[in-house]
């Protein structure tokens, strides 16, 4: 599955991008400090600098995924998008 986090424009040369997984009130890192975390290390990757691709998804991947972008040189320094993923 591919979850897209598209950055339309930024003047910050290298904005910080983080992906988090929120499930049952618990938040965990998926992509943090430019690397995959936890069990995503072996089955996920970042495409086009921002989109998260998760391979071999299972029901355990059902959650809200949050993409957070920090661009300190921009007028709007932080933005985020939440994507609800349901694996049947």
């Amino acid at each position: 599955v591919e979850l897209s986090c598209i950055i339309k424009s930024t003047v910050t040369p290298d904005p910080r991008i983080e992906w988090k997984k929120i499930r049952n009130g618990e938040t965990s890192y998926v992509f943090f400090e430019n690397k995959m975390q936890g069990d995503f290390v072996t089955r996920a990757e970042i495409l086009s600098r921002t989109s998260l691709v998760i391979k071999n998804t299972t029901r355990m991947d059902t959650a809200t995924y949050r993409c957070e972008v920090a661009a300190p040189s921009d007028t709007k320094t932080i933005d985020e998008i939440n994507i609800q993923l349901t694996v049947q």
Side-chain angles (χ1 to χ4, degrees):
V1 66
E2 181 177 346
L3 306 178
S4 294
C5 180
I6 299 167
I7 300 172
K8 291 185 179 178
S9 66
T10 179
V11 295
T12 302
D14 191 18
R16 188 183 80 232
I17 298 159
E18 295 176 0
W19 278 94
K20 296 177 182 175
K21 177 182 176 181
I22 305 161
R23 180 181 165 100
N24 300 326
E26 300 276 323
T27 302
S28 58
Y29 283 108
V30 175
F31 183 74
F32 180 67
E33 294 184 338
N34 289 320
K35 59 186 174 203
M36 289 297 163
Q37 304 292 315
D39 70 324
F40 292 98
V41 169
T42 58
R43 60 188 194 94
E45 65 181 321
I46 296 294
L47 286 183
S48 302
R49 218 173 57 130
T50 57
S51 293
L52 175 66
V53 176
I54 305 171
K55 302 169 187 166
N56 303 318
T57 55
T58 68
R59 288 188 199 151
M60 292 300 294
D61 293 315
T62 294
T64 299
Y65 290 82
R66 176 181 295 151
C67 174
E68 297 177 1
V69 179
S73 300
D74 288 50
T75 305
K76 187 171 187 177
T77 58
I78 296 177
D79 205 357
E80 65 184 42
I81 185 172
N82 289 316
I83 301 169
Q84 181 62 48
L85 174 65
T86 303
V87 181
Q88 299 288 333

